[in-house]
Amino acid sequence: MSDSRERILARLRANRPIEVPTPTVYAKPLGWDREHCIASFMQRMQAVRGEVHRIARDAWVDWLAGELPARGIHHLLAGNGDVGDRLASALPASIRLSRYDHPIEQWKPALFNDIDAAITHARAGLAESGSIVLWPDANEPRLMSLAPPIHIALLDSHKLHENFAAMIAAEHWANGMPTNALLISGPSKTADIEQTLAYGIHGPKQLITLLLD
Amino acid sequence: MTRPASVYYYATCLVDLLYPRAGLAGMQLLRAAGIDVVLPRDQTCCGQPAFNSGYRDEALAVARAQLDAFPGDAPIVVPSGSCAGMIKHHWPELFASQPDARRAQAVAERVYELTEFLVDVLDVRLEDLGEPLQVAIHSSCSARREMGVADRIERLVGQLEGVEVLVQQRAAECCGFGGTFAVKQGDVSGAMVKDKTDALRATGAARVISQDCGCLMNIGGAFEFQGDGPRTQHIAEFLWERTGGRVS
Amino acid sequence: MNQTDAFHRRIDEALHNAQLRQNFRSALTGIMARRAEQFPDETQLQALRDQARAVRANALVRQPELLERLEAKLTENGIQVHWAEGPDEANAIIHGILERAGAKTVVKGKSMVSEETGLNHYLEHHGIEVIESDLGEYIIQLAEEPPSHIVAPAIHKNRREVAELFQRFHPEIPYTEDIDQLTQSARVVLRDRFANADAGISGVNFAVAETGTLCLVENEGNGRLSTTAPRVHVAITGIEKVVERLSDVPPLLEILTKSATGQPITTYFNMISRPRQPGELDGPEAVHLVLLDNGRSRIRVDDELLDTLRCIRCGACINHCPVYVQLGGHAYGTVYPGPIGIALEPQRIGIHKVGTLTSACTLCGACGEVCPVRIPLPKLINRLRAEAVDGLRAGTAVRGHGSMRKPAEAGVWLLWRWLYTAPSRYRLFTRLATRLRWMTPPWLGAWTRYRCAPRPAQRTLHELAREEGFRNE
């Protein structure tokens, strides 16, 4: 195997194509203020059937307490952090709250089959493309935003960047990437049959972003 | 560029042999606009058929045989997007590292496609003497993409008061000619020209015009074969017919 | 059967399949319109193409150094890197990884590179069950067909054909031709597979040397599931996918999704830099990257052909190709169809095997016009035509150089050259052709199957021009 490595690299090193200048770092400053960013984020997200609700910073617990039963959500998954703690005391008794607190191997079938919705933080949002940005971690593991049919994300409206390029520059992503980083723009979808858009294929069928002011 | 006193005319082998009336009309339009037009006797072919078939040595030899035919620095006007594109864009590539590369480059830089020259250099004004007519335009791929002049034919036709332009579906799609492609991939080419003629016929236009005789040979030949379809005509011949030489 | 006859037979089959052609025409018309909507501003589009081209060109020039940096960074991050010269080695490496992990079932995200290696067949032959999880890939896996498009693998099938496949393989699900319901059926069928698979295999869209990050672009979530739910994740990619910096990614991502499917962004952009870390509760415990050469390093030797490797596999050239729309992808007979296939496959596999593909192009330029990284596809295809028929023994590095040269055809061009290099001979020829125009054969091979034959005029332009008083000297 290492022979192949050496052979491939040797062939590549043996030929030095004509030099090209190192490209400038791509930036696409849009000059949008916060309200413009919020409006674009909502419009883009809604254009791909992502739900966005702009609500007051501390209102999300009550919003969920009212909204989840109305939507027939009986089993909610939260992570190990503050979100679950706050929900634990606020949700009506009809809703079961589970916490993602043990390794996936111990409860995979339940995660895939029993959970109606999962709630996570979004680390940031992108205005131009209408994306939420997640860095899943031990508190909020990767499958939360993927396996359950509904994903609810809490996004601080002050954490909207104009676009991907602006975000990785502002947050110095290149200095250290997490295990997994994600841009998510709407619920899962496919157009593999007759190029016709259909939502809710393998990932969540619904993506609900609570944009917190 | 500023308006020259005279230009060379590059007939192209296809026009010379198959569509001389179209070629002549182009020369007459230029003359009517006050330009002295010279048709050098020793021109033959730009080399494109061989170049696009992979025979670069042969293409180079034939292209090289054109270099002496255009002395001086007068512009060279070509009534074909693809031949103009060959000279302007592919000669420099073909002649690269050849001793006469600079001469070829110099010739290439003097080349204009006919409609490009009429619009960009002469800024011609056309007076339409014809009856009301509906036409569809098929811009050649070379005029559209290689030369980037597809809008010139539209602007020229747009000056004709009696002419209404009907737009075909998938206007930018190739007609399926492609030089030797039409022979090497005859059935694919046949399927493509079928779609193209269907789209053009569906416009209801009485005439189809283009800057390139290759496309016209393909599309017109297919209409004739199908026994039903609008007349096809090169833009130069069309403009000459409509204006009767009222060009300024 | 030689490659040209085989190609013509596949073409014949495609051209006589009206349903297939209708499926392609309708699908591609929609895709082209959606792409165009994403680029309302021509100047911005061209600037973005310049940026994307520059990023890819830079990565190719510095490829050996970047691959080493990528390997070092991935290794530091805990991702194991493997190198494979060709398909057999790549398949063996992946099989070895799966075997050591005790993996019996694999869910796979979409990967064209794994099509190059025939990975599914290899693994199945070795007793490992492979489930394609991208809906389009799943459909063609059921149909036992290769992808007909690099982005939309089942683009050649309509809803009725998909419905019939589902009926055949999942008779427990009520028959439907409704696309939403078919999609839901696939969700149900594949969900258990994701939950139970031992390993996941995926491709890679960009591999970032600076951070040791594997980037995957997708809409369905199957790519994320394949790389998250199983214990082991194996990614396979061509060595050309490496880019230098994380900041190179945003322009590539933007132009990729807009060019490919006319989306401003896909649902998921998945950046993987590590296996599961201590304390983390999901994600694969082991992540592997297989770097496959398979002819790529040889392509890079030529300063012109090198441009082929800039490709980011968006498929825009395919969507806009007037030949592809008539034939569909299977007619090409190679992993990569359409313009990029015509440019890439003869170099990868050899002109002596698939050089005939270069004939399936009118050089109309539609592909080059939309390519997000400005690959001069018509120029490359034309160059390969020259490679195919070049008579020089001492050729270039392209495999099968000169192997399609035929004495009869070369003779015709020599005659043409003899005629057209001497104006006096040319004049004699045109004079004869015009005077003897009645002798023009009405039958000109393939041409006259669809068109009437052109006829020389009565007089050449030179003659007419002289009559009209033009200078002809």
Side-chain angles (χ1 to χ4, degrees):
Chain A
M1 263 185 274
S2 62
D3 286 351
S4 295
R5 175 187 189 278
E6 291 316 316
R7 277 198 301 271
I8 293 167
L9 285 173
R11 276 199 301 277
L12 294 174
R13 285 194 205 100
N15 168 254
R16 187 93 192 169
I18 300 164
E19 288 286 334
V20 293
T22 302
T24 51
V25 170
Y26 180 72
K28 191 181 172 189
L30 302 170
W32 292 354
D33 62 20
R34 201 171 87 90
E35 280 308 314
H36 193 151
C37 281
I38 288 171
S40 171
F41 173 83
M42 294 179 71
Q43 191 260 325
R44 293 308 324 162
M45 187 60 105
Q46 286 158 355
V48 288
R49 289 210 201 160
E51 255 184 67
V52 187
H53 301 278
R54 197 173 171 186
I55 53 183
R57 178 156 308 273
D58 292 317
W60 63 270
V61 176
D62 291 342
W63 188 91
L64 286 173
E67 198 70 18
L68 296 183
R71 293 175 184 238
I73 293 171
H74 302 297
H75 194 170
L76 182 68
L77 177 68
N80 293 310
D82 57 319
V83 173
D85 296 345
R86 291 189 57 184
L87 284 169
S89 55
L91 289 179
S94 67
I95 293 179
R96 182 176 157 204
L97 179 67
S98 289
R99 310 291 289 261
Y100 199 148
D101 52 10
H102 43 292
I104 181 61
E105 287 73 17
Q106 297 171 18
W107 69 296
K108 215 185 229 177
L111 172 63
F112 273 82
N113 300 317
D114 300 346
I115 305 286
D116 296 326
I119 180 166
T120 72
H121 284 104
R123 160 195 180 89
L126 305 180
E128 190 186 16
S129 56
S131 316
I132 56 171
V133 183
L134 267 63
W135 282 20
D137 57 16
N139 276 337
E140 290 182 348
R142 293 161 72 169
L143 286 168
M144 289 183 73
S145 62
L146 185 58
I150 300 173
H151 174 211
I152 302 162
L154 303 175
L155 172 61
D156 182 339
S157 68
H158 291 86
K159 290 184 177 169
L160 279 178
H161 296 271
E162 284 183 344
N163 49 39
F164 190 22
M167 175 177 67
I168 61 174
E171 297 186 352
H172 307 287
W173 277 34
N175 291 347
M177 291 291 280
T179 300
N180 182 219
L182 297 159
L183 311 185
I184 302 177
S185 312
S188 134
K189 63 181 181 290
T190 183
D192 274 349
I193 304 175
E194 289 189 11
Q195 298 301 297
T196 303
L197 209 48
Y199 283 89
I201 171 74
H202 298 306
K205 299 176 182 186
Q206 291 178 47
L207 172 63
I208 301 167
T209 304
L210 303 184
L211 193 58
L212 308 179
D213 277 330
Chain B
M1 73 173 284
T2 53
R3 190 185 180 88
S6 71
V7 300
Y8 289 115
Y9 199 70
Y10 194 76
T12 82
C13 57
L14 200 64
V15 166
D16 190 26
L17 190 59
L18 301 177
Y19 300 96
R21 292 276 157 207
L24 185 67
M27 298 175 73
Q28 287 168 318
L29 282 170
L30 292 167
R31 183 157 71 183
I35 306 291
D36 179 32
V37 185
V38 181
L39 180 71
R41 192 162 167 263
D42 283 350
Q43 54 177 305
T44 62
C45 169
C46 63
Q48 183 179 202
F51 182 70
N52 286 353
S53 302
Y55 289 85
R56 295 195 171 185
D57 291 346
E58 288 75 7
L60 179 63
V62 169
R64 181 171 281 143
Q66 317 302 306
L67 291 179
D68 288 335
F70 305 91
D73 56 5
I76 301 165
V77 180
V78 188
S80 154
S82 79
C83 307
M86 175 69 197
I87 302 174
K88 188 165 178 171
H89 297 293
H90 298 300
W91 275 19
E93 189 187 331
L94 186 62
F95 281 86
S97 74
Q98 296 289 323
D100 40 11
R102 288 177 65 179
R103 284 190 68 204
Q105 177 72 40
V107 171
E109 286 167 7
R110 289 157 57 200
V111 161
Y112 291 84
E113 187 272 333
L114 175 65
T115 62
E116 176 190 22
F117 191 78
L118 291 173
V119 172
D120 295 8
V121 180
L122 299 186
D123 192 18
V124 291
R125 292 285 169 269
L126 306 171
E127 192 179 329
D128 190 9
L129 306 175
E131 297 291 310
L133 182 73
Q134 291 181 318
V135 305
I137 295 174
H138 177 71
S139 263
S140 74
C141 298
S142 320
R144 180 183 300 280
R145 290 184 265 264
E146 207 159 65
M147 296 295 291
V149 299
D151 63 326
R152 310 301 198 278
I153 188 171
E154 287 159 18
R155 281 155 69 177
L156 289 168
V157 175
Q159 288 191 36
L160 304 174
E161 281 176 7
V163 176
E164 184 191 354
V165 176
L166 303 173
V167 179
Q168 57 166 327
Q169 245 199 323
R170 302 186 295 264
E173 187 169 288
C174 176
C175 70
F177 176 56
T180 50
F181 171 83
V183 179
K184 288 206 164 188
Q185 289 292 357
D187 295 325
V188 187
S189 176
M192 290 167 74
V193 76
K194 172 74 167 53
D195 282 359
K196 182 55 73 180
T197 48
D198 286 350
L200 287 167
R201 194 183 288 108
T203 62
R207 211 170 295 183
V208 171
I209 54 175
S210 174
Q211 322 87 331
D212 271 67
C213 287
C215 311
L216 290 170
M217 182 166 78
N218 184 37
I219 295 168
F223 277 140
E224 194 186 336
F225 184 87
Q226 295 157 7
D228 157 39
R231 181 179 159 202
T232 53
Q233 196 174 32
H234 189 269
I235 178 66
E237 209 177 344
F238 178 67
L239 293 180
W240 185 249
E241 176 193 312
R242 295 293 303 189
T243 62
R246 302 283 191 92
V247 178
S248 54
Chain C
M1 200 186 303
N2 72 36
Q3 53 157 326
T4 300
D5 293 343
F7 189 30
H8 281 292
R9 197 152 91 174
R10 292 192 301 270
I11 285 173
D12 199 51
E13 223 169 274
L15 289 177
H16 285 95
N17 189 338
Q19 179 67 64
L20 181 93
R21 291 174 65 196
Q22 176 53 40
N23 293 354
F24 275 102
R25 178 60 91 182
S26 118
L28 297 181
T29 303
I31 295 184
M32 284 194 284
R34 286 196 290 279
R35 175 194 169 273
E37 279 170 25
Q38 291 302 321
F39 299 113
D41 184 317
E42 183 65 17
T43 314
Q44 282 181 19
L45 165 61
Q46 299 312 332
L48 186 57
R49 290 177 79 207
D50 285 337
Q51 180 75 27
R53 184 193 55 78
V55 163
R56 292 294 302 134
N58 173 62
L60 288 175
V61 169
R62 303 176 53 191
Q63 197 179 12
E65 166 200 336
L66 295 184
L67 283 170
E68 283 183 284
R69 274 179 67 190
L70 175 71
E71 179 187 46
K73 197 70 198 178
L74 286 170
T75 308
E76 182 190 316
N77 292 354
I79 294 178
Q80 299 167 61
V81 180
H82 312 261
W83 301 68
E85 286 267 27
D88 296 345
E89 191 178 1
N91 290 343
I93 289 168
I94 293 174
H95 179 234
I97 293 168
L98 298 177
E99 210 172 37
R100 282 191 297 282
K104 288 282 169 215
T105 59
V106 172
V107 278
K108 221 167 135 252
K110 210 176 126 37
S111 156
M112 287 309 294
V113 174
S114 75
E115 298 288 337
E116 282 181 42
T117 70
L119 180 63
N120 290 9
H121 284 124
Y122 183 95
L123 293 180
E124 275 159 13
H125 182 73
H126 286 82
I128 292 173
E129 189 189 10
V130 182
I131 314 293
E132 289 287 356
S133 61
D134 170 87
L135 177 57
E137 292 282 354
Y138 181 67
I139 290 166
I140 59 169
Q141 190 181 30
L142 294 181
E144 296 185 36
E145 289 173 11
S148 59
H149 187 288
I150 64 172
V151 173
I155 194 170
H156 57 292
K157 296 224 175 286
N158 62 22
R159 67 184 78 192
R160 190 178 42 74
E161 294 165 303
V162 175
E164 282 163 9
L165 273 175
F166 276 37
Q167 168 93 63
R168 180 140 59 91
F169 288 91
H170 300 289
E172 72 280 7
I173 302 172
Y175 182 87
T176 175
E177 291 180 10
D178 179 275
I179 289 176
D180 280 320
Q181 287 181 35
L182 286 168
T183 301
Q184 286 313 304
S185 302
R187 180 184 175 98
V188 170
V189 167
L190 287 167
R191 208 155 168 78
D192 277 351
R193 301 298 198 160
F194 286 122
N196 297 319
D198 302 314
I201 294 178
S202 77
V204 174
N205 290 94
F206 320 114
V208 184
E210 178 182 34
T211 54
T213 301
L214 309 178
C215 303
L216 279 78
V217 179
E218 59 147 343
N219 280 310
E220 295 187 4
N222 70 306
R224 284 185 65 199
L225 280 165
S226 303
T227 59
T228 311
R231 288 180 280 126
V232 181
H233 167 208
V234 184
I236 178 168
T237 193
I239 53 172
E240 85 283 16
K241 289 285 174 68
V242 66
V243 296
E244 184 182 3
R245 302 167 303 189
L246 190 67
S247 63
D248 291 335
V249 171
L252 290 181
L253 174 64
E254 180 178 347
I255 205 160
L256 171 63
T257 64
K258 288 181 172 177
S259 299
T261 51
Q263 294 176 272
I265 192 167
T266 50
T267 302
Y268 301 113
F269 185 60
N270 182 7
M271 291 163 272
I272 298 166
S273 303
R274 283 181 191 78
R276 186 192 305 194
Q277 298 298 293
E280 290 178 356
L281 301 176
D282 61 15
E285 282 150 9
V287 178
H288 299 261
L289 175 68
V290 179
L291 289 165
L292 176 69
D293 185 333
N294 204 21
R296 289 165 170 81
S297 58
R298 205 179 44 244
I299 295 173
R300 188 171 165 280
V301 166
D302 187 290
D303 275 327
E304 183 180 38
L305 297 174
L306 159 77
D307 290 350
T308 319
L309 299 171
R310 286 210 293 264
C311 179
I312 55 173
R313 305 285 189 262
C314 72
C317 62
I318 300 174
N319 301 337
H320 290 73
C321 177
V323 173
Y324 178 89
V325 74
Q326 298 289 347
L327 300 178
H330 290 159
Y332 292 77
T334 44
V335 171
Y336 302 95
I340 186 61
I342 298 177
L344 176 63
E345 298 294 42
Q347 298 186 65
R348 201 169 66 79
I349 303 165
I351 287 171
H352 55 300
K353 296 219 173 110
V354 296
T356 189
L357 289 184
T358 60
S359 68
C361 171
T362 65
L363 299 175
C364 79
C367 51
E369 186 179 35
V370 296
C371 176
V373 288
R374 293 190 187 281
I375 300 173
L377 286 157
K379 190 175 163 203
L380 298 181
I381 292 169
N382 199 358
R383 161 76 188 277
L384 290 171
R385 286 183 180 176
E387 292 282 338
V389 297
D390 189 7
L392 299 175
R393 278 279 144 247
T396 61
V398 181
R399 278 172 92 178
H401 171 95
S403 60
M404 292 182 68
R405 187 178 179 89
K406 293 194 204 82
E409 189 185 82
V412 168
W413 288 111
L414 271 176
L415 178 67
W416 176 84
R417 170 187 178 155
W418 179 80
L419 211 50
Y420 282 75
T421 43
S424 56
R425 286 195 288 266
Y426 170 79
R427 277 193 291 275
L428 182 64
F429 162 66
T430 54
R431 191 164 179 85
L432 284 173
T434 48
R435 296 316 181 270
L436 302 176
R437 60 194 293 263
W438 53 272
M439 286 179 68
T440 312
W443 183 86
L444 292 172
W447 180 269
T448 40
R449 277 205 296 278
Y450 306 97
R451 315 162 191 81
C452 292
R455 269 195 164 199
Q458 290 174 326
R459 297 224 187 306
T460 66
L461 176 60
H462 288 270
E463 290 173 272
L464 295 184
R466 279 197 298 275
E467 283 168 17
E468 290 294 326
F470 286 99
R471 277 157 63 193
N472 180 231
E473 52 213 23

